[in-house]
Amino acid sequence: MLLENLAFPEVEAYLKEKNVILIPVGSVEQHSPYGLIGTDFIAAECIARETGKRMGIMVAPTLAYGISPHHMAFSGSATLMPETLILVVGDIVKSFLSHGFRRIFFINGHGGNVNSIETGLQRLKADNYPGIFGMISWYDYPEMVDIGRELFDGKEGSHATPSEVAVTRCLRPKEFGTKATIELEIEKPEHHWPLSAEEMRQFFPDGRMGSAPWLATESKGKMVIERSVDALEKKLRKIIAMPLADSSKVQK
Ligand SMILES: [Zn+2]
């Protein structure tokens, strides 16, 4: 059930039954010569929408942009500043709360977003906004570590990973005719963190970080999606079953 395709009476009808909404969030950043600049939001959107379809819960429009300052020495990347995302997270959650949503989850596709999303949610809780909020990264369950080992020989690395590239190959196969496919060395240089844009390009000149994206295939992408949707569904069912605090006792 996609919010963007509904009219307001349909949202009101949904809110009589349920109060859950998923918000996919990604990044607009280089994913090496092997992957799409939209990788993170394309993957997060697909996994959120598949899970929403399976569970009969609403999915909000995707927040495509994220925190990517360290990718800015690679053409095409665009970044929010951490403060911006903190505010955007707060504004989106407050908007949905005002209509009666009470279980609001960001389905994240980009590691760089984690701190800002969590900070945004913590600020809402510090101000006593009612509800259960959360951020779940689709690639970050024990099940996904297993799949990295099974399908990609443990060569996931941490950026332009074969899992995420496989997901996008499965979803947008026509876009890969012009992308790199050759096998290279996997280098894992010692580096500090965080990195500036120039440092990132010096340490990781082709934009990969210890990954083997040439191992990505459409069929493996399908398996990654299925496994991640299974894991996300399991996790969400647990959180959604938690009781809400009595909102009459808190402000707002
Ligand atoms: Zn990514």
Coordinates of all heavy atoms in Angstrom, one line a residue, residues 31 40 109 159 164, ligand 1:
H31 N 28.6 4.5 -6.4 CA 28.7 3.2 -5.9 C 29.7 2.4 -6.8 O 29.5 1.3 -7.3 CB 27.4 2.4 -5.9 CG 26.7 2.6 -4.6 ND1 26.1 3.8 -4.3 CD2 26.5 1.8 -3.6 CE1 25.5 3.7 -3.1 NE2 25.7 2.5 -2.6
D40 N 21.4 3.0 -3.1 CA 20.9 2.9 -1.7 C 19.4 3.1 -1.6 O 18.7 2.5 -0.8 CB 21.7 3.9 -0.8 CG 23.1 3.4 -0.6 OD1 23.4 2.2 -0.8 OD2 23.9 4.2 -0.1
G109 N 18.9 2.4 3.7 CA 19.8 1.7 2.8 C 21.2 2.2 2.8 O 22.0 1.8 1.9
H159 N 31.3 -0.9 1.1 CA 30.6 0.1 0.2 C 30.7 -0.5 -1.3 O 31.7 -1.0 -1.6 CB 31.3 1.5 0.2 CG 30.6 2.4 -0.7 ND1 29.3 2.8 -0.4 CD2 30.9 3.0 -1.8 CE1 28.9 3.7 -1.4 NE2 29.9 3.8 -2.3
E164 N 24.2 -5.2 -2.4 CA 23.4 -4.0 -2.9 C 23.4 -3.9 -4.4 O 22.4 -3.6 -5.0 CB 23.8 -2.7 -2.1 CG 25.2 -2.3 -2.4 CD 25.6 -1.0 -1.6 OE1 24.7 -0.3 -1.0 OE2 26.8 -0.6 -1.6
Ligands
ZN1 ZN 25.2 1.7 -0.8

